[in-house]
Amino acid sequence: MTAATVRLTVNGAAREGRCEPRKLLVDFLREDLGLTGTHVGCEHGICGACTVLINGDAARSCLMLAVQADGAEITTVEGLMRDGRLHPLQEAFREHHGLQCGFCTPGMLLTALDLLRTNPSPSEQEVREGISAVLCRCTGYHGIVKAVRAAAVTLAPSR
Amino acid sequence: MKPPKFEYHAPSTLDEALALLARYNGDAKLLAGGQSLVPLLNFRLARPAALIDLNRITSLAYIREHDGHVRLGAMTRQRAIEFSPVVARRLPLLREATRWVGHLPIRSRGTIGGSIAHADPSAEYPAVLTALEGEVVARGPKGERTLSSGALFETYLTTTLAPDEILTEVRLPVMPEGAGWAFEELARRHGDFAIVGVAAAVWRSGGRVTARLATAGAGGTPRRLRAAEEIVERDGLGAAAIEAAGRRASELVEPDADIHASADYRRHLAGVLTERALKRAAERAA
């Protein structure tokens, strides 16, 4: 099978690579673009570690082919920092012990960001439901829930 | 694991996709949202010669109200359905069921056409299609045909769609003004596949009650529970009638056992969830 060219925008920068059509987006990000912040977990859409934003919406990068992302805008965990400072959601994860081993953290962050965009002030139940899309095997969910709720306050548009 | 080798096509029109499908003569798979197919490829449980990716066919993604129906293009994302004002107003049962489909990041990619054509018996959309007496449109080389839920679903993961046909549209009748609705489901964890789910809608007109009930996960295909509907249509939406309808529901289903639940447990759940769904739908009905 011949390689295809994939041109896309990742974290605001135009990127390009060549790969077989069967290459998963997550492997393309890690191996071809060198962005290893996105983690490969279960490879069948259950664990959520590979979640990135695709045209603004959170999605599993292990359930999408790289060629399907041609022309898309992708945000990975590497794109969250601004001017050398952590994103407020990342700050909240640090403040509230929202990570232990860190394996699920990139997927948690991007899933939580999408949750806060669609529901800017979620209840605790809604946060738990939202982050149920990502598995944390350190079972550090309490800290993650606190972090997301704290970030909701920080990120809320001032009224 | 990683997907096996395949030829990849991303046509931009439905006609191109149909021509490709005919050319591979059953050896190609259609790629919609990929939330079920890509795991099967990653596990190498599916090894198609070719993938025909429908994601570049923008004309297959729409939500339109037309002539008493809402028409949803097969490539409409579950996420678009979840946040659609038309769906919220006209098909609140579909909206509620959508929130049970996987998780938000799954719904960002998953499509209504893919979910229905995949025909997983525990999926929510086939139950909604059945309860609301909707239809799907299939296009093939010989033209277009419409199929009811009963004509579409054959058994586990199997439909009557021909190998050279593509499911292009889902048509659901607008729910009447004042209709109540509920989608009840039990899964081990939120976002997991349903062990059993029940879709319910009820409405009153001219002193008469109309009820709609269908199950997910209680057999190889979604099942309409007509005899349970008849109980509340005859006896009204009081507690005793709803309880009797639940009991009838558990007699009507023919579930199988698997690693997640025994057949008896599923039968029990079909009754309990029917009762809960009818109760909540009745509270919402005008």
Side-chain angles (χ1 to χ4, degrees), chain B residues 120-124 126-127 156 183 185-186 193-198 214-223 253-258 261-263 265-267 269-270:
Chain B
D120 190 311
S122 62
E124 291 81 6
Y156 289 90
F183 196 97
E185 175 170 321
L186 189 92
F193 283 107
I195 294 174
V196 174
V198 173
T215 59
T221 58
R223 190 178 185 111
V253 292
E254 295 166 32
D256 291 310
D258 62 16
S262 67
Y265 184 58
R266 284 200 158 90
R267 188 178 289 288
L269 274 183

Side-chain angles (χ1 to χ4, degrees), chain B:
Chain B
M1 296 228 339
K2 311 291 178 191
K5 292 194 179 196
F6 49 76
E7 288 178 44
Y8 175 77
H9 301 278
S12 53
T13 67
L14 184 59
D15 286 338
E16 281 173 74
L18 284 165
L20 283 161
L21 202 53
R23 198 171 98 201
Y24 282 99
N25 196 22
D27 288 337
K29 286 294 274 181
L30 296 171
L31 175 58
Q35 305 300 289
S36 299
L37 178 56
V38 179
L40 291 172
L41 292 170
N42 289 357
F43 282 135
R44 305 203 173 187
L45 294 169
R47 293 170 170 271
L51 282 191
I52 302 168
D53 184 352
L54 302 177
N55 285 275
R56 305 271 168 192
I57 309 179
T58 49
S59 63
L60 283 180
Y62 54 84
I63 299 173
R64 282 185 211 128
E65 202 178 334
H66 178 84
D67 206 12
H69 284 68
V70 177
R71 297 179 169 193
L72 301 111
M75 287 301 291
T76 306
R77 310 277 175 202
Q78 291 147 1
R79 184 182 182 119
I81 293 170
E82 184 173 354
F83 296 108
S84 157
V86 173
V87 171
R89 196 166 62 243
R90 301 300 192 197
L91 297 170
L93 177 63
L94 179 68
R95 182 176 181 274
E96 184 162 302
T98 300
R99 308 198 70 160
W100 287 97
V101 180
H103 305 276
L104 187 59
I106 298 289
R107 300 194 290 270
S108 296
R109 298 286 303 164
T111 65
I112 188 169
S115 175
I116 288 174
H118 185 53
D120 190 311
S122 62
E124 291 81 6
Y125 283 168
V128 172
L129 180 74
T130 306
L132 295 183
E133 297 185 346
E135 287 180 330
V136 300
V137 179
R139 265 275 292 277
K142 281 177 244 149
E144 218 170 69
R145 60 183 183 130
T146 57
L147 296 95
S148 68
S149 156
L152 175 70
F153 297 111
E154 209 162 68
T155 181
Y156 289 90
L157 307 174
T158 309
T159 68
T160 57
L161 292 172
D164 57 1
E165 280 183 316
I166 297 179
L167 194 162
T168 57
E169 188 178 86
V170 179
R171 293 180 184 164
L172 294 167
V174 163
M175 292 169 67
E177 289 288 330
W181 71 94
F183 196 97
E184 288 284 345
E185 175 170 321
L186 189 92
R188 287 296 295 271
R189 292 162 301 198
H190 181 85
D192 279 6
F193 283 107
I195 294 174
V196 174
V198 173
V202 295
W203 58 90
R204 296 180 178 93
S205 65
R208 292 187 47 178
V209 171
T210 301
R212 296 289 181 74
L213 289 165
T215 59
T221 58
R223 190 178 185 111
R224 180 84 181 267
L225 303 174
R226 187 66 198 118
E229 295 170 359
E230 279 166 2
I231 293 175
V232 285
E233 289 179 354
R234 188 187 61 225
D235 299 340
L237 293 164
I242 286 177
E243 210 178 298
R247 273 198 306 275
R248 191 81 186 90
S250 64
E251 291 161 9
L252 290 170
V253 292
E254 295 166 32
D256 291 310
D258 62 16
I259 190 170
H260 303 293
S262 67
D264 278 349
Y265 184 58
R266 284 200 158 90
R267 188 178 289 288
H268 168 73
L269 274 183
V272 171
L273 296 178
T274 295
E275 207 180 312
R276 283 186 198 163
L278 275 176
K279 194 164 169 250
R280 213 150 51 80
E283 284 164 8
R284 278 170 164 167

Side-chain angles (χ1 to χ4, degrees), chain A residues 42-108:
Chain A
C42 71
E43 297 191 299
H44 66 292
I46 301 297
C47 79
C50 69
T51 305
V52 298
L53 302 186
I54 299 171
N55 298 325
D57 296 341
R60 312 290 207 221
S61 60
C62 75
L63 296 188
M64 191 166 164
L65 304 169
V67 288
Q68 293 188 286
D70 189 59
E73 273 189 42
I74 311 277
T75 303
T76 68
V77 68
E78 288 93 342
L80 294 184
M81 283 183 74
R82 290 278 178 277
D83 308 320
R85 294 170 62 108
L86 290 179
H87 186 280
L89 182 63
Q90 290 173 307
E91 279 292 356
F93 267 62
R94 182 160 76 177
E95 183 71 20
H96 296 276
H97 303 287
L99 64 151
Q100 291 180 48
C101 85
F103 188 83
C104 72
T105 310
M108 277 293 181

